[in-house]
Amino acid sequence: LRRPKLGLEHQLPLRPRRLPPRHPPHGSHHQSRKKKTVNSEYRMKNKGIKMCIATATDKYLVEKALERNGILGYFSEIFTCTLVGASKDTPKIYDEALCHLGTPREKTVVFEDALFAMKTAFSAGYQVVGIKDVSEKASEDEIRKSCSMYITEYSELSKIL
């Protein structure tokens, strides 16, 4: 592959640069949160709770992350906004996941960390567990109004398991 010569200020790299990770991949907070998440998902799987994923992230990235953490097999399907053709501004992704799981809407729990998505799922009749996310700018009070339960870390899931 050759780079097109457009002048020094317009040189195109052969490969896109890697962006730095949003959070340090090997930081103690990351490792601790990951372990608590995996433990919670393990408990749900062992209790026979059906689980799938509804995400705005590309499927191949989600699969890699789940595989890396040894929990890909815990989930029966991964639904993405791209695959269902709608963002989380509408409940379509949750409805597709519900259909797949075959569970009653009022007994299906959606775990969300984005306020707008919590509002969508909650207004569509789902039980919503709001998960604290440092990137979410909304106030905790506003988030609590849009979910059935609010947790700040995954170890708190023992309240509902």
Side-chain angles (χ1 to χ4, degrees), residues 22-106:
R22 288 174 48 183
H23 303 288
H26 301 293
S28 60
H29 173 72
H30 175 76
Q31 292 297 325
S32 172
R33 182 175 180 186
K34 181 178 78 171
K35 183 177 180 182
K36 290 175 185 173
T37 303
V38 170
N39 287 340
S40 298
E41 289 159 346
Y42 177 78
R43 282 196 308 264
M44 285 188 273
K45 178 75 171 170
N46 279 345
K47 288 187 177 220
I49 297 172
K50 297 177 185 179
M51 296 184 292
C52 66
I53 294 177
T55 181
T57 303
D58 288 332
K59 188 172 183 173
Y60 77 96
L61 294 172
V62 175
E63 288 173 334
K64 290 287 186 191
L66 295 173
E67 186 176 38
R68 183 176 61 246
N69 289 296
I71 57 174
L72 179 60
Y74 289 12
F75 303 94
S76 57
E77 187 59 74
I78 300 169
F79 295 90
T80 69
C81 291
T82 302
L83 292 173
V84 301
S87 74
K88 289 186 175 182
D89 287 330
T90 70
K92 184 174 181 182
I93 193 166
Y94 305 115
D95 294 342
E96 293 278 335
L98 178 72
C99 183
H100 168 76
L101 292 171
T103 55
R105 181 180 303 257
E106 62 278 0

